[in-house]
Amino acid sequence: MAKGKAQEVQVPTDHEGVLIIVEQHGGQAKSVSWQLLGQGRRIADKLGTRLMALVMGHQVEEVAQEAIAYGADVVYLADDPVLEQYRTQPYAHTAVEVIREAKPEICLVGATYTGRDLAGAIATLVETGLTADCTQIDVEPPPSRLLLASRPAMGEKLMATILCKQRRPQMATARPGVFEALPKDPSRQGELVRVPVTIREEEIAARVLEFIRDPNRVNLEDAPVIVAGGMGMGGPEGFEMLRELARLLGGEVGATRPAVDAGWIDRAHQIGQTGQTVRPKLYIACGISGAVQHVVGMEGSQVIVAINQDPDAPIFQVADYRIVGDVHQIVPALIEEARRRALVGEEAVARG
Ligand SMILES: Cc1cc2nc3c(=O)[nH]c(=O)nc-3n(C[C@H](O)[C@H](O)[C@H](O)COP(=O)(O)OP(=O)(O)OC[C@H]3O[C@@H](n4cnc5c(N)ncnc54)[C@H](O)[C@@H]3O)c2cc1C
């Protein structure tokens, strides 16, 4: 009975285009939004359709202009005081209204804390399927136009590609760092559509009383530099050195899974297949062997420096710069050099 009923559902034919929901906080967009616009552009071109973006917030027109510069053809802008801070109800309500109006066939959201919350709420309200936390997203060319949303499954041993054949839009969240943003082109032209926000403050159940930033928050996703450590660091004290180097370089500390499992550092720092995917400008891998499960999470970095005492360590195959040596000698030398440069910089500023 249930099987027969599922087959009766008609695939809506009036949905077209790819919609990316842009995430911003305080007017600052998350880089995953631009990465999704990059992948959305590739998918939209493959389908011969338009790429749309939805920007929600208060006083965020600049973000909408940025979305055009990163590849959107049309940007829906919902700008209203009720959207100043993220709350599930007004954001989901507004996004659903835009989806009902714009009728995209595909809708992609970043798999951040906010994006995961929002995407689930939207999918429920528009009664469609959602593939969460994807590491690959592609599309079958017309006529099927099916979204191929892939993610690790079965304890990360398999990749599963999930299809949503009968509902529209086809929805997915994608992990930060897995796709590459297009270069920002401020001269790009696009259409800006202002959308009214119809939900009123009195209708919203949640109030944000205070916003407290977690001082220990790790932001690997947007860090320009990541100094990552593996079992070669020898223990938690080894990671103290990495913290200092990361601080001097204006970056964050990353780690391999065994270092996390050993309790040397918190799981929020883990990079790789079961951790985060990152794309910093500079990735310094210290005492990391270069297992494939780690490399998939960092190979998109612009410049990779690897320090390992084993000249045959696989990490050197993906490294742009190789340093064969003991991390306990090399990292302190890098810290010293970074401190010297910081001092020279401060003196230059003081001299004017
Ligand atoms: C399903 C699954 C999912 C996984 N997911 C992840 C994941 O998300 N992220 C992840 O990182 N791993 C993951 N792993 C584990 C992965 O397979 C590797 O075991 C792990 O990446 C290796 O960590 P490592 O490089 O720190 O340790 P090791 O492989 O032990 O390497 C240590 C390296 O340090 C070098 N070294 C030692 N001492 C020094 C020194 N003093 N100076 C310089 N170099 C030194 C050694 O030569 C060696 O190359 C996963 C595994 C499975 C099965």
Side-chain angles (χ1 to χ4, degrees), residues 2 21 49 65 72 105 115 120 130 140 156 158 161 167 180 220-221 251 257-258 281 327 331-332:
I21 299 190
T49 189
Q65 295 297 347
E105 60 199 297
L130 167 69
E140 269 184 10
E156 311 273 332
L158 294 176
T161 299
R167 299 283 181 174
E180 208 173 339
L220 291 174
E221 203 183 310
R257 181 157 121 173
K281 290 199 173 82
V327 285
V331 176

Side-chain angles (χ1 to χ4, degrees), residues 154-158 175 229-234 239 255-261 264 267 270-276 283 285-297 307-316 323-330:
M154 304 281 180
E156 311 273 332
K157 290 191 188 71
L158 294 176
R175 288 189 196 176
M231 293 309 279
M233 295 313 299
F239 275 85
T256 62
R257 181 157 121 173
V260 168
D261 290 345
W264 297 353
R267 192 161 297 281
Q270 187 181 316
I271 291 167
Q273 186 183 321
T274 40
Q276 297 197 47
Y283 190 92
C286 309
I288 293 176
S289 59
V292 62
Q293 293 89 352
H294 184 77
V295 169
V296 290
I307 308 165
N308 199 303
Q309 63 187 11
D310 173 5
D312 297 321
I315 191 73
F316 286 140
I323 304 176
V324 179
D326 185 346
V327 285
H328 297 98
Q329 289 174 351
I330 311 288

Side-chain angles (χ1 to χ4, degrees), residues 9-26:
V9 176
Q10 292 291 311
V11 183
T13 52
D14 55 347
H15 285 55
E16 209 196 307
V18 179
L19 176 71
I20 308 298
I21 299 190
V22 172
E23 179 178 340
Q24 64 78 32
H25 298 276

